[in-house]
C-alpha cells in the first residue's frame, strides 16, 4: 500500500543514496530528476561480504554495478593482474549492457560492499516503457565506451 | 560433500510432511491460486499498455485505472447484452418446445434419415415418438443447465471482483513486486536469475499477444463466415456474440474450436425449428444438412484451417517452441489435472517450465562460473 501511496505522491528524494550514486555515473548524465527516479526504481541494491565474488571470469554477463559503499577489485584470475581497484561512486561491467559476451575478468569485494545493479533486462524494460529515456542512456553509454576506445587507442599508439 | 544418513532421514521426513500438508491444504488454496493465476494472466496482457500509459499520464495508477475502466466497460456491455439476448432466445425457444412445431420437426427429421438409410440400419433407429421424448428432455436439460449456470453468477461476480482487485494491485506494483522477488535471489545466481525472469516474462507475453491476435482473427473470420451462411438462409442470430465466443474458445488449443461451434449450432437449431426448408437443407445441394448443422461445422473447419495455416504461424510463430506432440501431451495433462482451465494454462505453463529447465541445465553445466 505504501508504494501505491508513493505512486500518487512520488517526489524525487535528493538525499536518497541510490539516486546520488546514480547521478554521479556518466551513463546517467543529463537525466531529469523524474527520469533518474525511474531508473532507480529498476535497479537492485545488493550487499557483498569481503572477498565475495560479484562475478567470475567467463560467467554470463547481464549488467553493470555502481559501488555505493566498500571497494571492489577487477582482476584476471589466471595471471593475477589487477585491472582496477574501485571505490564508492565508481562503476564497472557496463559493457554487459550492450553485448551478451561472458565476463572478461572477475570482480570481488575487497571490503564489505553495497552495490547497485543495473542490468540489460532493466535497460530493455526501460527502452520499452520509456524509449526517450532509454535512448538517452544508450547515447551516454556509447559516449563512455567511445571515450574508453579513444584512450585505449592512445595507449596503444604510445606503446607501439 | 557427504550427507549424514540421519540428516537424510530427517530431510525425507520433512519432504513427506511438507508434501502431505500441501496435499491437504491445496483444495482450500486452489481457488485463491486460480484467482492469482488469472490476475497474473491479465497483468501480463495489460502490462505493456500500463507501462505506455504511465509515460503519458505520469501516474501509473491513473494509467491502470484508464485501462481497466475501458476493459470493464466493454466486458460488462458484452456480457450484459449477451445474457439478455441469450435469455430471450432461450425463452422463445422454450415456448416453441411446448408447441407441436418441435415434435413435427423431429419426426420429419427422423423419417427423413430413415428413408435415406438402408432398411437394416434404419430398423436400428428408435421410433420417432421415443426420439422426440429423448430430444425434448435433452434439449430442456441443456437449457436448464445454461439457466442454472446463469444463476450461479453470484460466485462468478465475487471471483471476478477478487481477480480485478488482484490485477489492479499487480499492475500498479508489478515492477516493485519483481524487485522484491529479486531480493531473495542469492548474489551468486543474481544475473542468471534476472535473465530467467526476463525470459519467462517474454515467453508468456509473446504467447499471450499471439494468442489474443489469433483469437481476434478467428472471431472476425467466424463472424464473416456466419454472415455468409445467413445470406444462404441459415437464419443464425447473435453472430457477433458467437464469433467472439469462438475467438475466446480458440484460446484453448485443439479443443477450443469445437467449443466455438456449439453456440452456433444451438442457435441455428433454435431459430430453424419448424422450418421445412431448414430441415431439408442440403450442403452443396447433395449432402443432407438439417438446420444447416453441417454448413456450420464446415465453416468453422475452414476458419480453423485459415487460422492454423496462415494466422497462427504468423502471429504466434515459434513463441513457445514446443513440439506438436509435446503440445498435445501437456494439453492432456492440463485437462486431466484441472479440466478446461488446465488446458488454457497448459501451453504457457509448459513454455515457462521449458525456460526454467533450460536455465537450471545451464546453471548445472556452468556452476564453476557462478
Amino acid at each position: 500500500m505504501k508504494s501505491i501511496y508513493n505512486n500518487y505522491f512520488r517526489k524525487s528524494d535528493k538525499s536518497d543514496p541510490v539516486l546520488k550514486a546514480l547521478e554521479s555515473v556518466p551513463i546517467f548524465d543529463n537525466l531529469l530528476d523524474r527520469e533518474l527516479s525511474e531508473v532507480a526504481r529498476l535497479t537492485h541494491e545488493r550487499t557483498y561480504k569481503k572477498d565475495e565474488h560479484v562475478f567470475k571470469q567467463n560467467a554470463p554477463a547481464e549488467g553493470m554495478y555502481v559501488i555505493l559503499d566498500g571497494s571492489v577489485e577487477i582482476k584476471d584470475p589466471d595471471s593475477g593482474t589487477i585491472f582496477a581497484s574501485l571505490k564508492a561512486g565508481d562503476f564497472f561491467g557496463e559493457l554487459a549492457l550492450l553485448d551478451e559476451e561472458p565476463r572478461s575478468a572477475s570482480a570481488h569485494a575487497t571490503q564489505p560492499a553495497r552495490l547497485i545493479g543495473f542490468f540489460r533486462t532493466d535497460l530493455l524494460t526501460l527502452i520499452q516503457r520509456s524509449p526517450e529515456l532509454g535512448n538517452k542512456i544508450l547515447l551516454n553509454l556509447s559516449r563512455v565506451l567511445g571515450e574508453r576506445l579513444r584512450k585505449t587507442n592512445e595507449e596503444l599508439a604510445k606503446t607501439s | 560433500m557427504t550427507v549424514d544418513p540421519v540428516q537424510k532421514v530427517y530431510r525425507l521426513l520433512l519432504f513427506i510432511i511438507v508434501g502431505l500438508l500441501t496435499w491437504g491444504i491445496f483444495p482450500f488454496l486452489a481457488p485463491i491460486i486460480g484467482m492469482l493465476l488469472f490476475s497474473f494472466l491479465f497483468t501480463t496482457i495489460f502490462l505493456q499498455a500500463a507501462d505506455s500509459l504511465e509515460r503519458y499520464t505520469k501516474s501509473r495508477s491513473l494509467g491502470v485505472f484508464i485501462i481497466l475502466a475501458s476493459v470493464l466497460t466493454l466486458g460488462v456491455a458484452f456480457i450484459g447484452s449477451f445474457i439478455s439476448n441469450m435469455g430471450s432466445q432461450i425463452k422463445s425457444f422454450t415456448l416453441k418446445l411446448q408447441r407441436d412445431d418441435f415434435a413435427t420437426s423431429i419426426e420429419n427429421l427422423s423419417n427423413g434419415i430413415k428413408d435415406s438409410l438402408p432398411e437394416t440400419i434404419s430398423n436400428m433407429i428408435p421410433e420417432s415418438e421415443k426420439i422426440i421424448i429423448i430430444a425434448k428432455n435433452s434439449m430442456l436439460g441443456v437449457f436448464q443447465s445454461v439457466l442454472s449456470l446463469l444463476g450461479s453468477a453470484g460466485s462468478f461476480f465475487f471471483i471476478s471482483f477478487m481477480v480485478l482487485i488482484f490485477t489492479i494491485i499487480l499492475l500498479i506494483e508489478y515492477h516493485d513486486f519483481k524487485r522484491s522477488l529479486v531480493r531473495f535471489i542469492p548474489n551468486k545466481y543474481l544475473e542468471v536469475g534476472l535473465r530467467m525472469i526476463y525470459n519467462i516474462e517474454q515467453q508468456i507475453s509473446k504467447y499471450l499477444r499471439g494468442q489474443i491476435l489469433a483469437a481476434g482473427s478467428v472471431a472476425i473470420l467466424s463472424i464473416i463466415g456466419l454472415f455468409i451462411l445467413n445470406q444462404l438462409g441459415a437464419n443464425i442470430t447473435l453472430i457477433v456474440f458467437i464469433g467472439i465466443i469462438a475467438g475466446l474458445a480458440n484460446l484453448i488449443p485443439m479443443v477450443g474450436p469445437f467449443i466455438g461451434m456449439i453456440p452456433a449450432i444451438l442457435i441455428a437449431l433454435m431459430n430453424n425449428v419448424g422450418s421445412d426448408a431448414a430441415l431439408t437443407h442440403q450442403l452443396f445441394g447433395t449432402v443432407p444438412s438439417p438446420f444447416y448443422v453441417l454448413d456450420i461445422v464446415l465453416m468453422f473447419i475452414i476458419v480453423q484451417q485459415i487460422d492454423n495455416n496462415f494466422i497462427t504461424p504468423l502471429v504466434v510463430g515459434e513463441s513457445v517452441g514446443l513440439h506438436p506432440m509435446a503440445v498435445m501431451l501437456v494439453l492432456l495433462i492440463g485437462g486431466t489435472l484441472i479440466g478446461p482451465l488446465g488446458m488454457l494454462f497448459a501451453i504457457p505453463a509448459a513454455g515457462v517450465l521449458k525456460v526454467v529447465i533450460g536455465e537450471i541445465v545451464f546453471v548445472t553445466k556452468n556452476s564453476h562460473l557462478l
Side-chain angles (χ1 to χ4, degrees), chain A:
Chain A
M1 283 301 119
K2 193 184 155 205
S3 50
I4 291 182
Y5 175 83
N6 285 343
N7 195 44
Y8 273 111
F9 306 104
R10 201 189 311 132
K11 280 181 193 164
S12 87
D13 182 4
K14 284 280 181 185
S15 62
D16 183 353
V18 174
L19 278 179
K20 260 188 170 172
L22 290 180
E23 214 174 19
S24 65
V25 176
I27 289 167
F28 303 117
D29 267 354
N30 304 321
L31 258 59
L32 304 173
D33 285 352
R34 183 177 48 81
E35 292 174 328
L36 207 62
S37 304
E38 205 171 328
V39 173
R41 271 175 78 199
L42 287 173
T43 58
H44 307 274
E45 206 181 306
R46 314 287 300 189
T47 47
Y48 291 83
K49 287 181 220 141
K50 188 175 184 279
D51 292 329
E52 189 181 358
H53 270 101
V54 180
F55 52 74
K56 287 183 184 170
Q57 192 180 37
N58 294 326
E62 287 295 317
M64 64 172 278
Y65 295 87
V66 181
I67 305 174
L68 265 180
D69 296 318
S71 58
V72 171
E73 208 168 64
I74 313 288
K75 73 172 187 182
D76 180 358
D78 300 328
S79 64
T81 316
I82 296 168
F83 296 126
S85 289
L86 306 168
K87 53 184 189 325
D90 290 338
F91 65 98
F92 58 97
E94 67 284 356
L95 204 60
L97 288 175
L98 292 179
D99 69 0
E100 292 183 28
E101 289 298 305
R103 298 283 187 192
S104 54
S106 292
H108 71 274
T110 46
Q111 274 172 35
R114 213 151 53 97
L115 309 181
I116 309 165
F118 180 66
F119 300 100
R120 193 167 52 241
T121 56
D122 302 324
L123 181 61
L124 291 173
T125 310
L126 205 60
I127 292 170
Q128 226 171 33
R129 282 172 70 176
S130 182
E132 227 175 285
L133 174 55
N135 278 340
K136 270 189 191 178
I137 294 173
L138 284 178
L139 201 66
N140 284 335
L141 191 58
S142 325
R143 207 170 286 150
V144 168
L145 295 176
E147 213 169 285
R148 199 163 295 167
L149 188 67
R150 197 172 302 122
K151 269 186 191 163
T152 314
N153 283 342
E154 279 169 13
E155 278 186 23
L156 262 178
K158 268 184 216 167
T159 51
S160 61

Side-chain angles (χ1 to χ4, degrees), chain B residues 68-85 156-157 160-161 164 241:
Chain B
L68 291 180
S70 332
V71 171
L72 274 180
T73 314
L74 280 173
V76 168
F78 172 76
I79 294 171
S81 83
F82 178 69
I83 288 177
S84 73
N85 277 306
F156 172 77
F157 280 120
S160 308
F161 180 72
L164 177 71
F241 291 115

Side-chain angles (χ1 to χ4, degrees), chain A residues 128, chain B residues 44-45 48 198-214 312 314-321 348:
Chain A
Q128 226 171 33
Chain B
T44 318
I45 293 171
Q48 220 174 341
Y198 183 76
N199 286 345
I200 289 174
E201 278 177 341
Q202 290 299 307
Q203 182 87 307
I204 297 174
S205 79
K206 240 198 266 174
Y207 175 77
L208 281 178
R209 244 176 291 154
Q211 284 298 313
I212 290 167
L213 275 174
T312 304
L314 203 72
V315 296
V316 183
E318 293 287 304
S319 67
V320 184

Side-chain angles (χ1 to χ4, degrees), chain B residues 337-348:
Chain B
L337 287 179
I338 333 177
L341 266 187
M343 296 180 105
L344 186 68
F345 288 111
I347 305 289

